[in-house]
Amino acid sequence: MATWTQAGKARTEFADMIATLTPEQLQQPTLCSEWDARGVASHMAAFVETSLPGFFMAMVKAGFNPEKGLGSMAAKQMSRPVDDVIDSLRTKSTKSAALPVFPEMMTVADVVIHTQDVRRPLGLPGVIDESTLRSVLDFLTTHKMATTLVERRDLDGIKFNATDMDWSFGTGDEITGTGEALMMAIANRDVTSELSGAGLAKWS
């Protein structure tokens, strides 16, 4: 099995962050409205613990509804001690996706976004490596599989300009912000207060 270097790094960093949280913090809401911090960790662990047959079985039981299927896989991980979940993410960090059609960058983007989902509401420190952030932004805006990952808003007629790195995408009315804020906005998180530009009027 090929080693997913970037995914392994992202999963390990996520696990290290979760390991620092108190029981109270693990129960705090996140920017991913479906889960608290413990739930997000369980969601991440489901991808390294679920086999291909297990993935298909969960989807069949969910009537091939991705949200319900992923939710059931996360629920299974919720029954495990959080330390076991963290250990899974660390020891199986480079495990590839159960479905071979899912590219590594899809997992990297998922983990990086969910890391911010947990980190931001808790006010935890953290900086995304610029090369990783650039790769995630490129994936979210250009890859056909990105819409499988997030229900991103319509990007047509918008030009995104990062203020802290050399990255832009699209044409039209401008939206500016840090690379991280643009990533979260494209992933349909509410970070409007961190953005500016005429494009916000048509995109909000």
Side-chain angles (χ1 to χ4, degrees):
M1 179 177 66
T3 296
W4 280 17
T5 305
Q6 284 183 287
K9 182 175 182 292
R11 282 171 172 154
T12 300
E13 290 176 351
F14 175 82
D16 290 347
M17 178 186 69
I18 295 297
T20 69
L21 302 186
T22 66
E24 293 74 22
Q25 287 175 317
L26 287 169
Q27 296 177 37
Q28 291 299 306
T30 71
L31 297 183
C32 183
S33 59
E34 300 172 29
W35 292 303
D36 58 14
R38 177 72 169 83
V40 173
S42 299
H43 169 64
M44 292 290 96
F47 286 104
V48 299
E49 290 294 339
T50 305
S51 64
L52 181 57
F55 182 90
F56 275 118
M57 182 62 68
M59 289 301 167
V60 168
K61 289 182 178 179
F64 292 98
N65 181 309
E67 185 175 331
K68 290 182 179 179
L70 293 174
S72 69
M73 287 188 285
K76 185 176 181 180
Q77 299 303 313
M78 283 286 287
S79 65
R80 304 171 63 205
V82 68
D83 287 345
D84 288 355
V85 169
I86 292 168
D87 185 63
S88 289
L89 289 166
R90 285 171 171 163
T91 60
K92 300 179 181 180
S93 64
T94 56
K95 182 181 178 182
S96 58
L99 288 180
V101 296
F102 287 174
E104 180 183 7
M105 189 47 59
M106 184 174 175
T107 292
V108 174
D110 192 37
V111 177
V112 170
I113 291 167
H114 280 314
T115 299
Q116 311 318 309
D117 284 339
V118 175
R119 181 188 70 77
R120 283 169 155 254
L122 291 174
L124 301 176
V127 177
I128 307 171
D129 174 75
E130 184 174 318
S131 63
T132 299
L133 179 56
R134 186 184 307 279
S135 295
V136 172
L137 285 166
D138 288 342
F139 175 82
L140 291 176
T141 52
T142 64
H143 201 288
K144 63 182 181 180
M145 295 293 288
T147 53
T148 305
L149 178 63
V150 295
E151 292 185 19
R152 68 182 183 194
R153 304 179 199 178
D154 188 358
L155 307 183
D156 291 342
I158 301 292
K159 181 175 182 179
F160 298 94
N161 271 325
T163 56
D164 60 343
M165 58 189 289
D166 183 19
W167 184 87
S168 64
F169 172 82
T171 58
D173 293 329
E174 189 173 81
I175 294 178
T176 62
T178 65
E180 180 185 311
L182 292 177
M183 177 191 74
M184 297 302 284
I186 294 168
N188 210 23
R189 271 54 170 184
D190 184 9
V191 293
T192 305
S193 63
E194 301 176 43
L195 306 173
S196 60
L200 283 175
K202 69 158 41 172
W203 203 57
S204 298

